[in-house]
Amino acid sequence: MLLLLAAQMRALDREVIERRGIPGVVLMESAGRGVAAIIAARRRVRGARVGIVAGAGQNGGDGFVIARTLANWGAEVKVWLTAPRARVTGDAAVFLAAADKTAGVRIEDRSGEIDADGWSVTLAGCDVLVDAIFGTGLRADVTGVPAAAITAMNKTAAFRIAVDLPSGLDADTGAVRGVAVNADVTATIAAPKLGLWVDEKAAVGQIEVVDIGFAVDGLREIAAAHGPLHQLLTAEAIADCLPRQGAGGHKGTRGHALIVAGSAGKTGAAALCGQAALRAGAGLATVATTAAGQVALDAKVIEVMTAVYADGSDADATSAARLLALAARMKAVALGPGIPTGPGMGELVRHLARELPMPLVIDADGLNLLGSAAPALLARARGPRILTPHPGEMARLLDIEPAALASNRVGLARQYAAESRSIVVLKGARTVIADPGGDVFINPAADWSLGTAGSGDVLTGTITGLLAQSVSPIDAVRAAVFAHGLAGAEARRALGTSHLIAGDLPAAIARVLDDLQAATSRR
């Protein structure tokens, strides 16, 4: 599902109006009636007291259509303007005039009310409040009359529905521009906007896409001509990424994954990673670790094989040759969970990141050991590279403060993917996947139960297990991230508790992948 930027939405409007010949008033009428239908599906309309806070632009125009429609359905509707009536022009002015002539609609100019308490008195008694102040055209922080109105709206007990975007929310970044409406439902027009999905804490409520009655062939091409593509991961798209095994498949046909992980005291990460690779469908998994790590690891694992790349507690002069020889038999490699952090290991990580010809997933201390020269090194790598940082690791890779990353997660992940020519998986609620070609994918999952030690190691193993089955790097990442995001709910269902540990996740991921594959076979 495409998530549009403001510029892409404007381009779509131009395409429909100027090239397809559909008048803007037709689109505005369809949008307003669509939002009204969403309200009617959730609240009894006849006799309801509906308040609509409207701006002077397109969003306000949608609000005027909603007012006329709900009044015709029996609601008592009041519209309060946050801008002078004279500033309402174009298509919006057409529907303001129509609403003015509709029985059951009262329109008042509140463009001089800059006090939030005054707005609270105005809004008192509403059963439903419609936010139709700003849409994708917001350019600056919200101040003055709109800010006062939004502050008052957020204090009411009314059901709040935002038209297109909660006013005050940036359409592209999801950032709050001063103050934003806390919506129970956001009825986004024609297509969802990126800003609705970036921050899981954004008060957008349930997101509903309003069908305005047209389909645009080539939507992807139109959007791509006006900015990078952003897509929301969906079950339908992910199911098509998953590998299919024939009846004669066996462990040799399902690929062998190598996992360079673990050390004394840190073999749990290696075990989780190996188990996840197998649960994701790899036929074989080998964990290469230090000699001391192997002793501890052999006591923990059953299905996973083990190997040694260093006799001491740090990588040595023979480690690179050992691992390159071992990797020659593998389809995919993971590097990083629980590894030593000495200077020898740093040199080894950088060597493997550059020289391994097969897909390589780099996680945890593997990322920390890459150093500031990582983008240039990775850009020259012999094979595909996938980086899976959590926010702290990503901030270190970029040499910025975590707060700076949090304010621009999508943009910075895309920038680093382009510079390093690697796929970047910026983990967290609403995990961001950035492809070096510029495309970005957002995972809809925001599940606190996945925030447990070792959860990231399971994700690394899942990606590697799919890569071992010859799934393309971007498809392996998309499928693993999506399944990992659903695994929390699946594990809670199976175990009857929200207090999960990472060891609960591999089997849950396997069940999620099975369900996705089964859904595909039924299509």
Side-chain angles (χ1 to χ4, degrees):
M1 180 188 296
L2 279 178
L3 304 175
L4 298 186
L5 300 171
Q8 293 167 330
M9 190 65 219
R10 289 193 291 272
L12 178 60
D13 282 341
R14 288 194 300 271
E15 173 73 20
V16 173
I17 294 171
E18 298 173 8
R19 300 184 183 179
R20 309 294 171 96
I22 301 176
V25 290
V26 173
L27 299 180
M28 191 170 284
E29 174 78 12
S30 296
R33 291 183 67 85
V35 177
I38 289 173
I39 295 170
R42 288 165 170 75
R43 292 292 186 274
R44 177 183 172 85
V45 171
R46 184 165 298 280
R49 295 165 296 180
V50 178
I52 299 175
V53 185
Q58 299 269 63
N59 211 241
D62 295 338
F64 305 144
V65 175
I66 296 166
R68 191 186 84 247
T69 304
L70 292 180
N72 288 335
W73 293 350
E76 301 173 16
V77 183
K78 293 181 180 179
V79 179
W80 297 289
L81 302 177
T82 62
R85 182 184 285 254
R87 285 180 51 194
V88 181
T89 59
D91 295 338
V94 172
F95 289 112
L96 175 58
D100 235 348
K101 298 175 183 177
T102 301
V105 177
R106 193 170 81 189
I107 300 172
E108 299 179 11
D109 188 330
R110 283 288 185 270
S111 61
E113 181 60 83
I114 62 172
D115 180 59
D117 290 338
W119 272 100
S120 292
V121 173
T122 297
L123 303 177
C126 289
D127 302 310
V128 176
L129 275 177
V130 178
D131 159 32
I133 307 173
F134 301 116
T136 58
L138 183 65
R139 299 288 194 278
D141 287 355
V142 180
T143 58
V145 175
I150 290 170
T151 299
M153 291 176 74
N154 288 341
K155 291 180 179 179
T156 71
F159 172 76
R160 292 185 292 271
I161 182 164
V163 179
D164 207 20
L165 290 154
S167 291
L169 193 76
D170 190 287
D172 293 349
T173 68
V176 172
R177 304 296 300 270
V179 62
V181 169
N182 296 335
D184 297 302
V185 172
T186 296
T188 191
I189 309 302
K193 314 308 181 290
L194 174 62
L196 295 172
W197 288 98
V198 173
D199 184 357
E200 84 285 357
K201 297 185 292 295
V204 301
Q206 184 176 353
I207 299 170
E208 294 274 358
V209 178
V210 178
D211 181 0
I212 58 176
F214 68 88
V216 177
D217 296 331
L219 174 58
R220 182 183 177 92
E221 289 72 21
I222 295 169
H226 294 85
L229 293 181
H230 303 83
Q231 297 175 65
L232 189 70
L233 298 182
T234 63
E236 293 75 17
I238 296 305
D240 292 334
C241 298
L242 298 176
R244 298 288 185 271
Q245 293 293 332
H250 53 81
K251 65 183 180 182
T253 62
R254 290 166 56 187
H256 194 160
L258 174 63
I259 296 154
V260 184
S263 58
K266 297 181 180 180
T267 53
L272 287 167
C273 198
Q275 185 182 34
L278 292 174
R279 287 293 190 186
L284 298 160
T286 295
V287 174
T289 186
T290 63
Q294 185 186 41
V295 172
L297 194 60
D298 278 343
K300 293 179 178 178
V301 299
I302 300 174
E303 299 89 353
V304 176
M305 297 176 285
T306 65
V308 171
Y309 65 82
D311 297 323
S313 59
D314 192 10
D316 55 41
T318 67
S319 296
R322 291 187 190 186
L323 285 173
L324 288 172
L326 193 58
R329 299 184 286 110
M330 309 294 177
K331 297 292 291 291
V333 179
L335 169 63
I339 59 174
T341 57
M345 197 67 204
E347 184 177 341
L348 177 61
V349 165
R350 291 185 288 274
H351 183 78
L352 295 176
R354 186 176 58 249
E355 297 299 330
L356 284 174
M358 67 285 294
L360 171 65
V361 185
I362 308 176
D363 185 25
D365 279 321
L367 295 169
N368 294 329
L369 291 171
L370 279 174
S372 59
L377 182 151
L378 292 166
R380 300 192 305 271
R382 294 180 59 200
R385 300 296 180 253
I386 298 163
L387 316 180
T388 60
H390 59 54
E393 291 160 349
M394 190 76 217
R396 286 192 288 274
L397 285 171
L398 291 164
D399 194 23
I400 61 174
E401 292 298 318
L405 174 66
S407 67
N408 189 19
R409 294 170 67 238
V410 173
L412 291 170
R414 183 192 300 113
Q415 172 191 319
Y416 201 86
E419 291 175 354
S420 65
R421 296 178 61 185
S422 304
I423 297 172
V424 173
V425 181
L426 179 51
K427 295 182 290 194
R430 304 276 164 82
T431 290
V432 174
I433 301 167
D435 183 82
D439 288 357
V440 172
F441 302 87
I442 307 290
N443 192 37
D447 190 337
W448 70 269
S449 65
L450 295 173
T452 183
S455 177
D457 304 318
V458 172
L459 176 60
T460 294
T462 305
I463 296 171
T464 311
L466 291 169
L467 289 168
Q469 297 169 78
S470 299
V471 178
S472 74
I474 191 61
D475 283 351
V477 167
R478 292 165 61 210
V481 168
F482 188 77
H484 185 267
L486 294 179
E490 171 61 28
R492 290 196 304 274
R493 183 198 63 76
L495 297 171
T497 179
S498 296
H499 300 290
L500 304 180
I501 58 175
D504 300 327
L505 298 177
I509 287 172
R511 291 193 293 272
V512 169
L513 292 174
D514 282 347
D515 288 345
L516 289 168
Q517 287 177 320
T520 303
S521 66
R522 291 195 295 269
R523 290 214 302 261

